[in-house]
Amino acid sequence: MKVLRQIRPTPEQLTVINRQAKGVLVVRGAAGSGKTTTALYRLKQTVRYWQRRVRDGHMLGPVRVLVLTYNRTLRGYIEELARADITGTDVQLTIATFGKWATSSLPAHTLVRDNAKAVKLRELGKGLGLEEAFLRSEVDYVLGRFRTTELESYLTCERAGRGATPRVAQATRRRLLDEVIYPYAQWKADKGTHDWPDLANEMVDQTPAGKYHVVVVDEAQDFSANQVRAVLAHLAADHSVTFVTDGAQRIYPQRFTWTEVGLTVGPSNSKQLSQNFRNTRQIAAFAASLLTQVEVTDDSAIPDLTTCTANGPRPVLVAGRFSAQMDHVIAFIKQLDPDAQESVAILHAKGWDWFDYVKRRLVSAGLAYVEITRQSEWPSGPEQIALSTMHSVKGLEFDHVIIVGLNEETMPHGAEAGDSERDAHLRLLAMAAGRARSTLRVTYKPDEASDLIACIDPATYDQVTQ
């Protein structure tokens, strides 16, 4: 599958790429502004700067470089791009998810299984009256934001970015700590297990054998505060660090402020990317209509629709039974020009066995595909159809995006405005839609439709009933 990338940076991106100053740079970019591409160009330039310092005798080599992504699929995509640009025997390049970086840096740990964690949290939190998904999300938020010794700070913190409902009063926070979080920590200790927030805490305290001169953290809005603290703990005295972020595309409960992780971020060390060069005007308008209904935080980069220059067909919503939805999908793919080698992403909120029927239909139609969810290597074969969860395409882009099965079973239904889980799913849908360069399709079953369908501005799409 081909890797889509921009060949010539825009003037806006060049202000980021060519900045040579040491220290920390925060790049805040709206959807479609080429954050990842810009970060990779900046990575190339910054590594060359540090290589010159080694050659000129200002420091001893090698130049240690760390690139962190938020999931394995994006890691494989970025590695495909970065390995060709970052060369030289004087460079040690590490490209990893935070989890892979942590597990390879720390002594071996037994990690608690997700299903065991879910069962234990459900048991501990059954008296709190909170929805199960929200309870798990809130626990991860607390353990990711605060150090183990500072969990009491949760009682009085501002929960910006966590939605307006359900309201978590101080009395509920107290009970969450005493009845869920502290007992959960004791349960893990008794079993001799750890979870991912524990590894972030250990990475903060670790004394690394070698520290990094160059670091890029992509999609930083979905990193926790403790993960960012861990990155900062592994920096050389002189360093160049780039955090690429956009709170409007946050899909995990990781909201924190730069100040609380020990960074001062202001006009001198932050840049904004606002020009959307990926999407057509029509796709950008569709995605932006979803973000008008979520909580806006000060780290959000709201898309500027006026910067889109390309026009294309309006997104299409396809209503019908799933077999009819796939009839439409197959027909659309088959009418594409095979010589153009245009990439197609078929996305689903859950993935895994939800894709079984999609796979059977593609095979029967003679259409080759690859699965990219959680794959650590970017596929190098000739297939141009990718199957993925919506989460796993964050940071990627495709010529055509088809989101299938947007039903209440797989996405929230009936939640009130301001609900934290609903906000997260609106951001997720907007992010997934924004992966498309040329066309976008969303399919659903009318009598089982997710309530997110009603959140899309009808003026931004065409309706098809199969």
Side-chain angles (χ1 to χ4, degrees):
M1 173 163 282
K2 69 178 179 180
V3 176
L4 296 174
R5 68 181 305 181
Q6 185 187 18
I7 302 302
R8 179 176 297 175
T10 66
E12 182 181 57
Q13 292 170 331
L14 286 172
T15 64
V16 174
I17 295 167
N18 294 330
R19 185 180 184 275
Q20 293 292 330
K22 300 177 189 175
V24 172
L25 176 66
V26 174
V27 180
R28 192 174 67 177
S33 62
K35 298 185 296 296
T36 298
T37 301
T38 302
L40 290 173
Y41 277 122
R42 174 167 166 74
L43 174 68
K44 180 179 179 180
Q45 293 290 92
T46 305
V47 169
R48 286 179 175 176
Y49 165 79
W50 286 93
Q51 286 178 305
R52 288 195 298 270
R53 286 180 59 82
V54 172
R55 289 196 297 268
D56 293 344
H58 298 304
M59 59 174 279
L60 296 176
V63 179
R64 288 174 51 83
V65 182
L66 175 66
V67 180
L68 291 179
T69 70
Y70 105 106
N71 70 22
R72 280 189 283 181
T73 308
L74 185 56
R75 190 210 71 82
Y77 180 83
I78 285 179
E79 182 159 37
E80 184 76 12
L81 296 174
R83 291 290 181 189
D85 289 337
I86 309 302
T87 59
T89 57
D90 55 351
V91 176
Q92 290 183 357
L93 174 61
T94 299
I95 304 175
T97 63
F98 184 91
K100 179 64 175 178
W101 180 55
T103 53
S104 63
S105 302
L106 295 169
H109 289 308
T110 300
L111 290 170
V112 62
R113 293 185 178 275
D114 288 342
N115 60 344
K117 176 179 178 178
V119 169
K120 188 62 181 179
L121 293 180
R122 184 190 311 127
E123 171 194 324
L124 294 171
K126 61 185 177 182
L128 291 179
L130 299 172
E131 291 287 340
E132 184 178 333
F134 177 80
L135 174 67
R136 292 198 306 267
S137 175
E138 189 73 2
V139 169
D140 286 342
Y141 162 70
V142 174
L143 296 179
R145 181 172 179 181
F146 302 106
R147 299 298 311 279
T148 304
T149 56
E150 299 170 350
L151 292 176
E152 293 292 311
S153 299
Y154 171 60
L155 294 174
T156 56
C157 76
E158 181 185 0
R159 295 173 63 258
R162 290 290 291 144
T165 60
R167 183 173 176 271
V168 186
Q170 190 173 71
T172 304
R173 301 187 197 192
R174 178 76 269 167
R175 289 187 64 191
L176 189 69
L177 286 174
D178 293 341
E179 298 176 28
V180 180
I181 292 177
Y182 290 142
Y184 173 59
Q186 187 60 54
W187 175 76
K188 288 185 294 180
D190 292 343
K191 292 177 65 66
T193 60
H194 298 73
D195 64 8
W196 295 110
D198 295 327
L199 299 193
N201 267 287
E202 290 190 31
M203 287 293 285
V204 177
D205 297 327
Q206 185 194 47
T207 302
K211 296 194 173 186
Y212 296 96
H213 306 97
V214 180
V215 175
V216 171
V217 179
D218 196 26
E219 304 291 351
Q221 74 277 357
D222 282 312
F223 281 66
S224 71
N226 284 333
Q227 289 173 336
V228 172
R229 292 185 181 106
V231 171
L232 299 177
H234 286 70
L235 297 179
D238 286 334
H239 53 260
S240 299
V241 181
T242 308
F243 290 102
V244 184
T245 184
D246 175 19
Q249 297 189 74
R250 181 182 294 111
I251 58 176
Y252 289 108
Q254 312 288 17
R255 167 71 174 152
F256 63 90
T257 66
W258 296 114
T259 300
E260 68 186 273
V261 298
L263 292 177
T264 300
V265 176
S268 64
N269 65 340
S270 64
K271 296 288 184 181
Q272 169 106 15
L273 299 176
S274 58
Q275 182 178 358
N276 185 331
F277 66 82
R278 176 192 300 136
N279 307 132
T280 63
R281 291 187 177 96
Q282 292 76 14
I283 293 171
F286 180 98
S289 73
L290 294 162
L291 296 177
T292 62
Q293 305 185 47
V294 302
E295 179 186 9
V296 177
T297 55
D298 58 6
D299 62 346
S300 299
I302 303 303
D304 182 359
L305 302 185
T306 65
T307 63
C308 297
T309 57
N311 279 305
R314 291 207 300 182
V316 177
L317 262 61
V318 181
R321 298 178 61 182
F322 198 49
S323 59
Q325 296 173 32
M326 285 306 301
D327 289 342
H328 180 94
V329 170
I330 297 296
F332 170 76
I333 295 175
K334 284 199 162 186
Q335 59 84 36
L336 296 175
D337 180 0
D339 295 330
Q341 292 191 312
E342 294 178 305
S343 58
V344 179
I346 302 178
L347 311 181
H348 190 275
K350 300 294 186 182
W352 304 112
D353 55 351
W354 292 91
F355 270 132
D356 287 350
Y357 181 71
V358 174
K359 294 175 187 176
R360 291 199 298 270
R361 290 297 304 272
L362 291 173
V363 170
S364 65
L367 297 171
Y369 65 87
V370 291
E371 297 183 72
I372 63 173
T373 300
R374 297 178 63 82
Q375 296 300 311
S376 58
E377 303 293 332
W378 189 251
S380 58
E383 300 89 352
Q384 291 302 318
I385 301 172
L387 305 186
S388 177
T389 63
M390 292 162 68
H391 286 83
S392 287
V393 294
K394 194 170 182 65
L396 309 181
E397 58 182 69
F398 304 87
D399 293 305
H400 309 281
V401 168
I402 304 169
I403 301 171
V404 296
L406 192 64
N407 299 330
E408 61 180 304
E409 186 177 4
T410 57
M411 295 293 269
H413 182 75
E416 61 183 287
D419 177 80
S420 64
E421 297 302 306
R422 181 177 181 272
D423 276 9
H425 283 89
L426 283 167
R427 290 191 181 98
L428 177 63
L429 180 57
M431 179 278 294
R435 302 305 95 198
R437 291 171 60 94
S438 299
T439 72
L440 171 66
R441 277 166 165 72
V442 178
T443 76
Y444 67 98
K445 189 175 180 180
D447 56 351
E448 298 177 6
S450 166
D451 75 320
L452 299 188
I453 295 291
C455 297
I456 307 168
D457 182 355
T460 65
Y461 63 82
D462 292 329
Q463 181 77 51
V464 172
T465 300
Q466 288 290 105

